[in-house]
Amino acid sequence: AQSVAQPEDQVNVAEGNPLTVKCTYSVSGNPYLFWYVQYPNRGLQFLLKYITGDNLVKGSYGFEAEFNKSQTSFHLKKPSALVSDSALYFCAVRERVDSNYQLIWGAGTKLIIKP
Amino acid sequence: GAGVSQSPSNKVTEKGKDVELRCDPISGHTALYWYRQSLGQGLEFLIYFQGNSAPDKSGLPSDRFSAERTGGSVSTLTIQRTQQEDSAVYLCASSLAAGANYGYTFGSGTRLTVV
């Protein structure tokens, strides 16, 4: 079975500094990987995905993620953090279930950007 | 509609009462998912509908929980004899029949409070 791990419950970053939110995965075959963000009192919003192609994927709100096959990682990054980036971030990997696919979710990482 | 719509957005109910939560997925999305999220926590899978197939109910926490999807569109999650531990945000998501290649689109959730 596929799995995804977010090793940090919380990440604290000062505004203007670069941020990284970590995600590692375990899959058989080529992974389909996703990042979602959840702002307070909202549903999850899609940020970016990796299916194939360039290892560096660019997404919404200036975020990007780097796919690293040898390290089985898909860390989310942003060069300069904003206070408004404070939210809950989820990594997910696609898993085949019978003849369909579902997303398997990490536990989430709370990102706090301090002014 | 343009997005996934959930109603009500907030529901306060007395312990022991039944509640119904509604999800209206994106038109054309044949897959529909229900998740439960405790405050600031990760996603707990509840149930998954795919087209006309039998739903995957493996995540339902007890027989007080049930869900149906009428006409392959709108879904209703019913919780009978609510308990205080049922208090959470219930999130609905939908995706295309191709599965999770394109990720899920989430609604804003229903915040259920059992008093």
Side-chain angles (χ1 to χ4, degrees):
Chain A
Q2 331 288 39
S3 65
V4 61
Q6 294 180 243
E8 304 154 315
D9 291 337
Q10 184 170 308
V11 171
N12 298 299
V13 178
E15 185 178 27
N17 283 0
L19 70 87
T20 299
V21 183
K22 295 180 180 177
C23 173
T24 60
Y25 64 89
S26 174
V27 303
S28 55
N30 296 320
Y32 284 34
L33 296 157
F34 300 80
W35 275 103
Y36 281 75
V37 60
Q38 185 180 31
Y39 297 104
N41 301 313
R42 303 294 300 274
L44 279 70
Q45 297 177 35
F46 171 81
L47 270 181
L48 52 80
K49 66 180 180 183
Y50 172 83
I51 295 179
T52 187
D54 289 342
N55 290 341
L56 187 63
V57 180
K58 294 189 182 297
S60 306
Y61 311 120
F63 283 92
E64 57 190 27
E66 185 171 10
F67 171 66
N68 187 315
K69 188 172 183 178
S70 62
Q71 298 186 3
T72 63
S73 67
F74 189 57
H75 300 332
L76 182 69
K77 300 182 179 184
K78 188 173 182 181
S80 179
L82 300 173
V83 172
S84 57
D85 293 329
S86 299
L88 193 54
Y89 290 80
F90 290 94
C91 183
V93 64
R94 189 187 77 165
E95 177 178 61
R96 182 163 186 149
V97 179
D98 297 327
S99 59
N100 295 301
Y101 293 96
Q102 294 187 41
L103 292 185
I104 306 302
W105 298 89
T109 298
K110 186 175 184 179
L111 177 64
I112 298 176
I113 309 299
K114 299 186 177 181
Chain B
V4 177
S5 179
Q6 291 189 247
S7 61
S9 55
N10 281 284
K11 176 71 175 179
V12 180
T13 189
E14 293 181 352
K15 179 180 173 182
K17 300 280 189 182
D18 297 353
V19 295
E20 286 189 352
L21 312 180
R22 176 188 168 104
C23 174
D24 197 347
I26 291 175
S27 178
H29 280 194
T30 61
L32 186 148
Y33 313 81
W34 282 99
Y35 290 88
R36 180 167 69 175
Q37 185 181 30
S38 299
L39 184 63
Q41 299 300 308
L43 301 178
E44 178 187 4
F45 168 75
L46 296 177
I47 188 168
Y48 161 52
F49 295 91
Q50 172 59 56
N52 296 322
S53 302
D56 176 357
K57 304 180 181 180
S58 60
L60 295 178
S62 78
D63 59 8
R64 295 186 296 106
F65 288 72
S66 63
E68 63 178 18
R69 190 177 184 193
T70 53
S73 181
V74 172
S75 177
T76 302
L77 177 68
T78 301
I79 308 174
Q80 296 178 310
R81 305 181 302 281
T82 52
Q83 304 294 313
Q84 288 185 330
E85 63 261 29
D86 299 335
S87 296
V89 175
Y90 290 81
L91 292 168
C92 176
S94 68
S95 70
L96 289 167
N101 286 11
Y102 305 98
Y104 298 174
T105 301
F106 281 82
S108 295
T110 294
R111 180 176 298 279
L112 176 66
T113 304
V114 182
V115 297

